[in-house]
Amino acid sequence: MTARTAIGAARTRPCTLVVCRGCCCGDARKYPGYDHDWQLERLRAAADASGGRLAIRTADCLGPCDQANIIVVQPSGEGRRRGGRAVWIGWSMGDDCTDEILRWAESGGPGITAPPATLALQFVQSAGERDRARR
């Protein structure tokens, strides 16, 4: 096995939440009665309070739209060195789900800590994984 060396920003990259806010995710017409803006505000506030251990990004459309809202939890640099990989979470709405995502990410996320069992039930395949599985 070849040793891998993390260089530059990858070494200190924080756990990152990529929040889909494209065609379906974050759309009040698809999910009326849910405050999508409030969820994003909560996630951003947590990142601001994390001292750089957590980052938030938004994406236009990540797919799989039939499982919206999608949030991808990307491992930190340390988490990746420990074998962590990005985890896609579907149906990520509501305060309980948002709380679980934040607790997991703040405690280290993929590669560092195990996800809450109830959150793991919401893990979905990325669009690329779904495409490969169909071939």
Side-chain angles (χ1 to χ4, degrees):
M1 184 166 139
T2 305
R4 293 170 46 178
T5 303
I7 57 174
R11 184 178 315 125
T12 59
R13 186 176 89 197
C15 182
T16 302
L17 304 179
V18 181
V19 183
C20 185
R21 285 296 183 255
C23 62
C24 296
C25 296
D27 186 345
R29 291 171 297 182
K30 185 169 183 170
Y31 294 106
Y34 182 72
D35 193 343
H36 303 280
D37 293 334
W38 172 241
Q39 180 187 43
L40 195 53
E41 287 174 27
R42 282 190 64 205
L43 296 172
R44 287 180 173 153
D48 289 345
S50 74
R53 293 183 334 272
L54 177 63
I56 306 297
R57 291 180 34 220
T58 58
D60 184 42
C61 184
L62 296 169
C65 297
D66 59 328
Q67 297 164 329
N69 287 351
I70 297 290
I71 294 180
V72 179
V73 183
Q74 295 179 325
S76 65
E78 179 62 25
R80 190 163 294 280
R81 283 188 294 283
R82 293 184 185 191
R85 296 292 174 252
V87 174
W88 290 55
I89 303 169
W91 309 284
S92 57
M93 293 178 282
D95 289 335
D96 291 342
C97 180
T98 302
D99 289 343
E100 285 190 333
I101 291 170
L102 283 172
R103 274 194 299 273
W104 184 36
E106 289 169 343
S107 69
I112 304 291
T113 58
T118 52
L119 189 61
L121 294 172
Q122 293 176 244
F123 288 3
V124 299
Q125 292 180 323
S126 70
E129 289 170 327
R130 290 172 79 176
D131 291 344
R132 284 188 295 277
R134 289 183 185 141
R135 291 184 213 161

